[in-house]
Amino acid sequence: MTITTQALFETEAAVARNGVGKPGLLHPVRVTGLGVAVPPARLTNADLEQMVDTSDEWIVTRTGIRERRIAAPEVATSDLALAAARAAIADAGIPVSEIDLLIVATITPDHLFPATACLVQAGLGLPGIPAFDLSAGCSGLAYALDQAWHGLAAGAYRNALVIGADTLSRIVDFSDRRTAVLFGDGAAALVLHRGEPGEDAGILASHLGADGRGGSLLILPAGGSRKPASHATVAAREHFLRMNGQEVFKFAVRILEESTRQVLAKAGYSPADLDLFVPHQANIRIIEAARERLGLPPERVVVNVDRFGNTSAASIGLALAEARERGRLRPGALVALTGFGTGLTWGSILLRWTKTENDGGQK
Ligand code: UT7
């Protein structure tokens, strides 16, 4: 099905009318830890040329991707999530026991149940705290950050561990050239800390949305309650993701711009105020189109899709971590994280980078 631009604008207008995103926030919340984990194995375009009818030239021109990381057979989403979580907690400089909320955004959980968050929780040795998965595709990290932010700001929690982790390689059909070239595996984790009233806020605004009418545009057809796994579903390769690339492309370009403008407006800013734009890394052409629409110079946009492909819920976290590693996140920088994905969903987080230790030259 096709989502019209007009329909999506109507959705946006409804969101704006309802005043969503402006609760009475009591506590400032800031990022105090950031960690990532990617598998060491690289799948290059040359490798893919041996697997499907494609070429390095086509992949680079149409997507900007040169290689992606692929998890070893014995590694699942929770393993990457746990490694990223440990790195983020170490980066925050707090004992693991200080974490009191755990959210994992993923669409490739280890199992349908139990939640991957519970597996990570067990791995960290943190029994008792709430732990749950959140399914919002490539917008998952933005969604999870929004939920943790509100929980902390309301005073319900003190330190939240928010993880975006996916092993899309497990649900990609490596005989389908339309999707095989796009995706990679990875995990990113952030520790959010509740400050005291009056302290500087890190997270300034969020903007989330969804339009379920586009649900069939990017879907894993079988393996759930609608179509349980059977010989027939396996034979039809319905346990691999299906995507209408062109429709998702059009949606992505429009929503990247729109959601970023909305989150900036909520905090009284415009695109010109942005120091760093961290968009979901799906396709360089989508990122470039959104960058131009927002009027941003290339040096204010983070791009690593060339080396990791589309890592789904990990994507904006991996890009943020790389920006920090390269010294592009100075304290006080105004940063927008914007994702879009299956659902259809979209989500933006606007923050001031407040963390100073470990910024630049590490990891
Ligand atoms: O996280 C959100 C998830 N997804 C996305 O953000 C994806 C959004 N969409 C896209 O990034 C792009 O639509 C794709 C990269 C998926 C496809 O690029 P496109 O420029 O939209 O290509 P297309 O689908 O219009 O296909 C053009 C041609 C077709 O051949 P014909 O019919 O013109 O002969 C395809 O069969 O390119 C062909 N093609 C390929 N050729 C070589 C499709 N995939 C490949 C390939 N190698 N890997």
Short mmCIF file of all heavy atoms in Angstrom, two decimals, residues 288-314:
data_model
loop_
_atom_site.label_atom_id
_atom_site.label_comp_id
_atom_site.label_asym_id
_atom_site.label_seq_id
_atom_site.Cartn_x
_atom_site.Cartn_y
_atom_site.Cartn_z
N GLU A 288 21.35 11.86 2.44
CA GLU A 288 21.69 13.06 1.67
C GLU A 288 20.46 13.90 1.35
O GLU A 288 20.47 15.13 1.44
CB GLU A 288 22.41 12.66 0.37
CG GLU A 288 23.91 12.52 0.54
CD GLU A 288 24.56 13.83 0.99
OE1 GLU A 288 24.45 14.83 0.28
OE2 GLU A 288 25.14 13.84 2.09
N ALA A 289 19.36 13.22 0.97
CA ALA A 289 18.14 13.95 0.64
C ALA A 289 17.61 14.69 1.87
O ALA A 289 17.21 15.85 1.79
CB ALA A 289 17.09 12.98 0.11
N ALA A 290 17.64 14.02 3.03
CA ALA A 290 17.16 14.67 4.25
C ALA A 290 18.09 15.82 4.65
O ALA A 290 17.64 16.88 5.08
CB ALA A 290 17.08 13.64 5.38
N ARG A 291 19.38 15.60 4.48
CA ARG A 291 20.34 16.66 4.81
C ARG A 291 20.07 17.92 3.99
O ARG A 291 20.04 19.02 4.52
CB ARG A 291 21.76 16.16 4.54
CG ARG A 291 22.85 17.17 4.86
CD ARG A 291 24.23 16.72 4.46
NE ARG A 291 24.45 16.73 3.01
CZ ARG A 291 24.58 17.81 2.26
NH1 ARG A 291 24.51 19.01 2.82
NH2 ARG A 291 24.78 17.72 0.96
N GLU A 292 19.82 17.72 2.70
CA GLU A 292 19.56 18.87 1.83
C GLU A 292 18.25 19.56 2.21
O GLU A 292 18.17 20.78 2.27
CB GLU A 292 19.52 18.43 0.37
CG GLU A 292 20.92 18.25 -0.19
CD GLU A 292 20.93 17.66 -1.60
OE1 GLU A 292 19.88 17.72 -2.28
OE2 GLU A 292 21.99 17.14 -1.99
N ARG A 293 17.22 18.77 2.50
CA ARG A 293 15.93 19.35 2.88
C ARG A 293 16.04 20.16 4.17
O ARG A 293 15.31 21.13 4.37
CB ARG A 293 14.89 18.25 3.07
CG ARG A 293 14.36 17.68 1.76
CD ARG A 293 13.67 16.36 2.02
NE ARG A 293 12.95 15.89 0.86
CZ ARG A 293 11.62 15.69 0.84
NH1 ARG A 293 10.89 15.92 1.91
NH2 ARG A 293 11.03 15.26 -0.24
N LEU A 294 16.92 19.71 5.07
CA LEU A 294 17.10 20.41 6.35
C LEU A 294 18.09 21.56 6.22
O LEU A 294 18.27 22.34 7.16
CB LEU A 294 17.58 19.43 7.43
CG LEU A 294 16.54 18.41 7.91
CD1 LEU A 294 17.20 17.27 8.68
CD2 LEU A 294 15.48 19.09 8.78
N GLY A 295 18.75 21.66 5.07
CA GLY A 295 19.71 22.74 4.85
C GLY A 295 20.96 22.61 5.69
O GLY A 295 21.55 23.61 6.11
N LEU A 296 21.39 21.37 5.95
CA LEU A 296 22.56 21.16 6.80
C LEU A 296 23.81 20.90 5.95
O LEU A 296 23.74 20.18 4.95
CB LEU A 296 22.34 19.94 7.70
CG LEU A 296 21.23 20.03 8.74
CD1 LEU A 296 21.01 18.67 9.40
CD2 LEU A 296 21.58 21.07 9.80
N PRO A 297 24.95 21.45 6.35
CA PRO A 297 26.20 21.13 5.64
C PRO A 297 26.64 19.71 5.99
O PRO A 297 26.33 19.21 7.07
CB PRO A 297 27.19 22.16 6.19
CG PRO A 297 26.65 22.57 7.51
CD PRO A 297 25.16 22.40 7.45
N PRO A 298 27.39 19.05 5.09
CA PRO A 298 27.78 17.65 5.32
C PRO A 298 28.52 17.44 6.64
O PRO A 298 28.36 16.38 7.26
CB PRO A 298 28.72 17.35 4.14
CG PRO A 298 28.36 18.34 3.09
CD PRO A 298 27.85 19.55 3.79
N GLU A 299 29.29 18.43 7.09
CA GLU A 299 30.07 18.22 8.31
C GLU A 299 29.21 18.14 9.57
O GLU A 299 29.69 17.80 10.64
CB GLU A 299 31.17 19.29 8.45
CG GLU A 299 30.68 20.71 8.56
CD GLU A 299 30.52 21.39 7.18
OE1 GLU A 299 30.43 20.66 6.17
OE2 GLU A 299 30.46 22.62 7.15
N ARG A 300 27.91 18.45 9.44
CA ARG A 300 27.04 18.32 10.62
C ARG A 300 26.23 17.02 10.60
O ARG A 300 25.31 16.85 11.40
CB ARG A 300 26.08 19.51 10.68
CG ARG A 300 26.81 20.79 10.98
CD ARG A 300 25.93 21.81 11.62
NE ARG A 300 26.43 23.13 11.32
CZ ARG A 300 25.71 24.22 11.29
NH1 ARG A 300 24.42 24.16 11.54
NH2 ARG A 300 26.25 25.37 11.02
N VAL A 301 26.53 16.14 9.69
CA VAL A 301 25.77 14.90 9.57
C VAL A 301 26.70 13.70 9.78
O VAL A 301 27.80 13.66 9.22
CB VAL A 301 25.10 14.81 8.19
CG1 VAL A 301 24.27 13.53 8.08
CG2 VAL A 301 24.22 16.03 7.95
N VAL A 302 26.27 12.76 10.58
CA VAL A 302 27.08 11.57 10.84
C VAL A 302 26.69 10.47 9.84
O VAL A 302 25.51 10.15 9.69
CB VAL A 302 26.89 11.05 12.28
CG1 VAL A 302 27.77 9.82 12.52
CG2 VAL A 302 27.20 12.14 13.28
N VAL A 303 27.68 9.90 9.18
CA VAL A 303 27.46 8.83 8.20
C VAL A 303 28.43 7.69 8.47
O VAL A 303 29.64 7.90 8.50
CB VAL A 303 27.67 9.35 6.76
CG1 VAL A 303 27.57 8.18 5.77
CG2 VAL A 303 26.67 10.44 6.40
N ASN A 304 27.90 6.51 8.73
CA ASN A 304 28.78 5.33 8.78
C ASN A 304 28.14 4.13 8.08
O ASN A 304 28.57 3.00 8.24
CB ASN A 304 29.19 4.98 10.22
CG ASN A 304 28.02 4.49 11.06
OD1 ASN A 304 26.90 4.36 10.58
ND2 ASN A 304 28.27 4.20 12.32
N VAL A 305 27.09 4.42 7.29
CA VAL A 305 26.38 3.36 6.57
C VAL A 305 27.32 2.61 5.64
O VAL A 305 27.12 1.42 5.37
CB VAL A 305 25.16 3.95 5.80
CG1 VAL A 305 25.61 4.84 4.64
CG2 VAL A 305 24.24 2.85 5.31
N ASP A 306 28.37 3.28 5.18
CA ASP A 306 29.33 2.63 4.27
C ASP A 306 30.00 1.43 4.93
O ASP A 306 30.27 0.43 4.28
CB ASP A 306 30.39 3.64 3.80
CG ASP A 306 31.03 4.40 4.96
OD1 ASP A 306 30.32 4.74 5.93
OD2 ASP A 306 32.25 4.66 4.90
N ARG A 307 30.21 1.48 6.24
CA ARG A 307 30.94 0.41 6.93
C ARG A 307 30.08 -0.55 7.74
O ARG A 307 30.55 -1.61 8.16
CB ARG A 307 32.02 1.01 7.83
CG ARG A 307 33.26 1.40 7.03
CD ARG A 307 34.08 2.45 7.73
NE ARG A 307 33.33 3.71 7.79
CZ ARG A 307 33.02 4.33 8.91
NH1 ARG A 307 33.39 3.83 10.07
NH2 ARG A 307 32.36 5.46 8.88
N PHE A 308 28.82 -0.19 7.98
CA PHE A 308 27.98 -1.07 8.81
C PHE A 308 26.65 -1.44 8.16
O PHE A 308 25.94 -2.31 8.67
CB PHE A 308 27.72 -0.42 10.16
CG PHE A 308 28.97 -0.22 10.97
CD1 PHE A 308 29.59 1.02 11.02
CD2 PHE A 308 29.56 -1.28 11.63
CE1 PHE A 308 30.77 1.20 11.74
CE2 PHE A 308 30.74 -1.12 12.34
CZ PHE A 308 31.35 0.12 12.39
N GLY A 309 26.29 -0.79 7.05
CA GLY A 309 24.99 -1.03 6.46
C GLY A 309 23.89 -0.60 7.43
O GLY A 309 24.12 0.21 8.34
N ASN A 310 22.71 -1.16 7.23
CA ASN A 310 21.56 -0.84 8.08
C ASN A 310 21.53 -1.81 9.26
O ASN A 310 21.23 -2.99 9.07
CB ASN A 310 20.28 -0.93 7.25
CG ASN A 310 19.04 -0.59 8.03
OD1 ASN A 310 19.05 -0.55 9.26
ND2 ASN A 310 17.95 -0.35 7.32
N THR A 311 21.84 -1.32 10.46
CA THR A 311 21.87 -2.19 11.64
C THR A 311 20.60 -2.02 12.49
O THR A 311 20.61 -2.32 13.68
CB THR A 311 23.11 -1.91 12.50
OG1 THR A 311 23.14 -0.52 12.84
CG2 THR A 311 24.40 -2.29 11.77
N SER A 312 19.55 -1.51 11.87
CA SER A 312 18.24 -1.45 12.52
C SER A 312 18.29 -0.68 13.84
O SER A 312 18.75 0.46 13.87
CB SER A 312 17.71 -2.87 12.68
OG SER A 312 16.39 -2.89 13.11
N ALA A 313 17.88 -1.29 14.94
CA ALA A 313 17.79 -0.54 16.21
C ALA A 313 19.14 -0.06 16.73
O ALA A 313 19.20 0.85 17.57
CB ALA A 313 17.11 -1.40 17.27
N ALA A 314 20.23 -0.64 16.25
CA ALA A 314 21.55 -0.22 16.72
C ALA A 314 22.06 1.01 15.97
O ALA A 314 22.97 1.71 16.45
CB ALA A 314 22.55 -1.36 16.53
#
